[in-house]
Structures are given as C-alpha cells and as structure tokens.
Amino acid sequence: MLIIADSAIPFLRGIFEPYAEVRYLPGGAIGPDDVRDADALVVRTRTRCDEELLGSSSVRLVATATIGTDHIDTAWCAGSGIRVESAAGCNARGVLQWIAAVLARLSERQGWHPGERTLGIVGVGHVGSLVQSYAEAWGFRTLCCDPPREEREHLGFRTLEEVAAEADLLTFHVPLDPTTRHMADAALLERMKPSALLINASRGAVVDGDALLRSGLDCVLDVWEGEPRPDPALVGRALYATPHIAGYSIQGKANATAQAVAHVASFFGLPLRGWYPAGVRPSRPRPVGWEEMRREMARHFDIEAESRALKSDPGSFESLRDTYAYREEFF
C-alpha cells in the first residue's frame, strides 16, 4: 500500500508507516508520476486534485486535512470511483478566536463596545454558528444569512442583501463554490454602510478583491484571491492582513490531521481508531466574557504583529504561512 502525503501536514510522520509505504512531498509539487501507483493521497489546499493529477493513477481515496474541498474536483472524483473526505469543522474554534482577536482590536482602535455594533454573519455552519453564539454573549446584535440552510431548515435567516445593508461588521464563513464565488461583489458592497467593515476568513474568491479596493470600505482579510500571491494594494489597504492562518491553532491542526488519519484508517481497515497527536491538549470549549477575552487574547494571538509582517512584505505570504507558530486555543 502506498500513501502520498503533503510534507507540511503536521503530526503525520510515522503514523501510517507501520502499515504502508508513505512518501512525503511538498503539496504544490505533487504530480501525476508521484501518484500513479498510490492508493491514497493526503493533502492540503496546495494540491489540485483533478483528472490531470489523478486520471492515470490508482488512487482510491483523497483525504484532505482542510475544511474545504475547492481544490478538489469532487464531481470528477465521484465519477471515477475516488472517495473524497475532508476535515470539516476541524479548525472552527481557531477561526472563532481569530475573529475574536479582530473584534477586540477593532473595538480598541475604533472606540466602540459590542452593544453598539451589529455583526452580520454570512454562513452559519461550523464556524459561523460559533461566531454567532459568542458574539451574542458578548453583546453584539447579530444578523445571520445562510441561503442553503434557510432553504432546508426555514430558520428565519435574513437575505444576504438585508444583512449587508444593516451590518456594521460583515463577516464571511462560507465554502467556495460556484454560488459563493464573488458573493461580495460590487453590487453587494454598494449596499453596505460607508462606515461598515468587511471581514473574510473563508476563501479569498468569496470577495471580489478589485471591487473591494474600489469600494473604499474598510476590511480585515485572512484569505486572498490569487494566493499565495495576494494583491499588494489590497494587503496595504486592509486594517489587518494575515496570511491565511485564521484556523492555525495547534488544536485545529491536530484535529485536521486526526480526521485525515481516521478517514484513511477507516477506508483501508488500519488499526488507528481514535488516534490523536501525542502532546496536544484537545480543545476545551468554555464560555468566555468580553472583558476576559480581550485581556487574554494578547497572550495567545497578536494580530497586530501578524499583520505588520505581511504588510511589510506581501511576497512573504507563503513563507509566513508555512513557518507560522500554531497558537493555543484558550476557549
């Protein structure tokens, strides 16, 4: 049995080796010749998994240690008998704490309290539902939009246009697919209050970067069109700019790898049930008040420093991301 794995996936080395041959390669460098005789592929977003890569391979399973699958041609894989598994929800609390850091710094920088702001949340899944719960506990008025869930569950979510028009802060937590690409386009941005601020920690192409630049709106961005080469003008324009590390908590990374291992183990019958990286403390969710969160955040995540690093050299995006020191979740 042969497994090809992205060499940047943490905690993975040595786990499959008792049961399979494992070859570790940089995600962006994995090519058709590498996977030709492979049984499984364990990847991140840097590996485009489609017919070009897999068409001549023996791969039966693609396990991605990411929440999203926009780097995988899932329709082609399904038609070709290749199972695709993701790590849905693995880093939700990490992204929540990135959002919390953004809100804490903005409140200090702009001089407001949660009760004075309406937070619009687009996408109420693993991350968005956490953001809603904590934001409401902190005193924000929240408005939620999730068209697929509204169609299925009739929860009373507002339309995207309504949320955009009323929100002081508009944050996106949606997957990237044909319905969400450039969801925040020029027309939507025009509906926002001139004083409003846009936050994106989902996927870069959810927001039309050129339209955002033209809009004059303030923004905080962790994800970018054209990654790993973000538009330097947009990096400079953002109040805070980070290199796609919102979900980079040590627990989020451990969860992602553990889910990928579980998918491979289940598919091939390997005795790795319940595996979790040794030495990593699992997430310990708890309520946290606004003032406690603000006090503690600086010890756990300095978004000002992360933003300065990217703003000083947008070309360092990939190296900043690859060498990022995973932060510890504290709620």
Side-chain angles (χ1 to χ4, degrees):
M1 177 178 171
L2 174 61
I3 298 172
I4 304 299
D6 185 320
S7 57
I9 295 175
F11 313 114
L12 189 60
R13 290 180 185 271
I15 305 306
F16 291 129
E17 278 77 349
Y19 318 104
E21 178 185 354
V22 186
R23 297 176 191 164
Y24 298 93
L25 299 168
I30 296 173
D33 289 342
D34 301 309
V35 302
R36 192 176 309 280
D37 298 321
D39 299 285
L41 188 55
V42 184
V43 298
R44 302 183 303 151
T45 57
R46 290 296 180 257
T47 305
R48 176 68 186 167
C49 300
D50 54 13
E51 184 177 7
E52 181 179 352
L53 178 67
L54 301 170
S56 299
S57 80
S58 55
V59 169
R60 291 182 284 157
L61 171 71
V62 175
T64 181
T66 63
I67 59 173
T69 57
D70 48 282
H71 55 297
I72 301 172
D73 187 338
T74 53
W76 181 85
C77 286
S80 302
I82 299 173
R83 184 182 295 183
V84 174
E85 298 284 3
S86 71
C90 64
N91 63 358
R93 299 198 78 85
V95 178
L96 165 69
Q97 293 182 30
W98 182 91
I99 292 289
V102 170
L103 296 176
R105 292 301 299 133
L106 288 175
S107 70
E108 295 170 10
R109 180 171 178 163
Q110 299 176 338
W112 48 258
H113 297 286
E116 301 168 329
R117 290 293 182 271
T118 294
L119 178 66
I121 303 168
V122 183
V124 194
H126 291 289
V127 177
S129 59
L130 282 175
V131 172
Q132 179 190 13
S133 176
Y134 277 85
E136 289 178 353
W138 293 332
F140 288 91
R141 174 186 179 230
T142 65
L143 296 175
C144 294
C145 168
D146 192 315
R149 284 195 66 194
E150 183 60 27
E151 184 176 349
R152 292 193 310 266
E153 303 172 50
H154 307 291
L155 298 170
F157 290 145
R158 305 283 288 276
T159 68
L160 178 60
E161 292 75 17
E162 290 171 339
V163 172
E166 292 188 44
D168 300 302
L169 304 152
L170 184 64
T171 184
F172 288 84
H173 302 288
V174 297
L176 180 62
D177 60 35
T179 69
T180 61
R181 184 175 294 275
H182 284 189
M183 172 181 269
D185 59 9
L188 187 78
L189 298 174
E190 287 175 4
R191 289 179 175 271
M192 295 176 64
K193 302 174 184 178
S195 60
L197 180 141
L198 181 146
I199 303 168
N200 189 17
S202 58
R203 287 290 187 266
V206 168
V207 176
D208 183 335
D210 290 338
L212 181 57
L213 270 173
R214 294 193 303 268
S215 73
L217 291 168
D218 284 333
C219 60
V220 175
L221 302 175
D222 179 61
V223 291
W224 313 80
E225 287 190 285
E227 289 183 20
R229 292 173 290 279
D231 182 350
L234 193 54
V235 173
R237 170 66 178 283
L239 295 185
Y240 297 111
T242 54
H244 202 156
I245 49 80
Y248 274 30
S249 67
I250 191 168
Q251 286 81 9
K253 285 298 179 181
N255 294 342
T257 302
Q259 287 190 42
V261 168
H263 291 314
V264 174
S266 175
F267 189 87
F268 293 102
L270 306 182
L272 290 167
R273 182 183 179 89
W275 176 85
Y276 196 79
V280 178
R281 176 184 62 79
S283 298
R284 296 176 183 172
R286 66 180 180 91
V288 64
W290 174 253
E291 293 303 328
E292 180 189 355
M293 183 275 288
R294 288 180 63 193
R295 284 195 313 271
E296 291 294 310
M297 185 57 73
R299 291 199 305 111
H300 294 270
F301 179 40
D302 185 351
I303 194 171
E304 296 267 9
E306 300 297 339
S307 182
R308 283 194 301 271
L310 182 58
K311 282 175 170 287
S312 68
D313 181 11
S316 67
F317 183 98
E318 190 80 329
S319 62
L320 288 171
R321 190 179 192 214
D322 285 346
T323 59
Y324 183 77
Y326 304 137
R327 60 191 184 272
E328 188 84 17
E329 293 176 9
F330 68 102
F331 65 88

